[in-house]
Amino acid sequence: AANRFAREHFHEWLMDADVGKPAREYFLGRGITLDTMTELTLGFAPDGWDNLLKVMTSAGFSAEALVAAGLLRENDRGRRYDYFRHRVIFPIHDPGGRPVAFGARALDDSNPKYLNSPETAVYTKGNVLYFLDKARRPMQDQRSVLVAEGYMDVIALYQAGVRNVVASLGTALSDGHARLLQRYTDEVCFVFDGD
């Protein structure tokens, strides 16, 4: 429930005329249309330490639940703060379409450039493929899948009409990933970056 609420709020921030302008400009500059942003519920986490914390605790979520979901971090003094700040947001779903985590890219020179949710009770990076919820049926129909490296690779292919595409979330393909793919398809084609 926390991830679902966060996904919707990140998307609202992206589509807000003022708040989301830098994130929309980033996506548009990468060739991603407003329709695709909406269809895929892409999002934005504005700069600031407690934007999501305030919104979600006001909606009745406990800070402890938000830490457990990987949406907040806690420092050694017990202060809680938003995990994602000034980043575009990519919701990560399980095969049934439920949001389980988020990927995020910095809009400035912050490091790391890409930041994924930490592993939680519902998210283990080696067992989740980005976009599998959308690619599952096309993979079964075509009996093949393209495995890309990152979010933008998948989104660009999807927007161009390629539906049987997933990403390994920037990591090497794991045994868990291979087992997932084996459930849905016979042929796997890797389209990783040259590096």
Side-chain angles (χ1 to χ4, degrees), residues 14-159:
L14 173 66
M15 302 314 282
D16 181 276
D18 297 322
V19 174
K21 186 176 180 190
R24 284 192 314 279
E25 287 177 351
Y26 168 79
F27 282 131
L28 291 168
R30 297 289 305 267
I32 306 305
T33 66
L34 288 171
D35 286 344
T36 299
M37 290 179 221
T38 299
E39 180 182 353
L40 302 181
T41 330
L42 301 180
F44 175 55
D47 205 7
W49 292 96
D50 60 359
N51 293 309
L52 193 64
L53 172 63
K54 285 179 182 173
V55 167
M56 292 192 70
T57 53
S58 293
F61 291 93
S62 72
E64 292 76 20
L66 301 179
V67 170
L71 295 166
L72 300 182
R73 296 294 266 197
E74 188 170 1
N75 67 19
D76 54 2
R77 295 185 310 269
R79 180 174 177 252
R80 295 178 176 130
Y81 57 92
D82 292 353
Y83 187 61
F84 301 111
R85 299 177 306 280
H86 198 57
R87 291 175 180 269
V88 291
I89 301 290
F90 305 91
I92 300 168
H93 300 92
D94 68 12
R98 292 175 296 268
V100 294
F102 299 92
R105 186 196 189 282
L107 286 177
D108 53 21
D109 294 332
S110 296
N111 282 315
K113 181 162 82 170
Y114 284 96
L115 182 65
N116 288 329
S117 292
E119 295 199 348
T120 67
V122 297
Y123 174 64
T124 303
K125 185 158 58 167
N127 292 329
V128 175
L129 288 163
Y130 179 64
F131 235 64
L132 182 58
D133 59 310
K134 296 213 178 311
R136 192 175 55 162
R137 185 89 53 227
M139 287 166 56
Q140 290 172 320
D141 293 344
Q142 297 176 38
R143 302 308 303 162
S144 68
V145 64
L146 300 176
V147 181
E149 191 170 317
Y151 311 108
M152 292 300 294
D153 302 322
V154 170
I155 293 168
L157 286 165
Y158 179 84
Q159 187 173 268

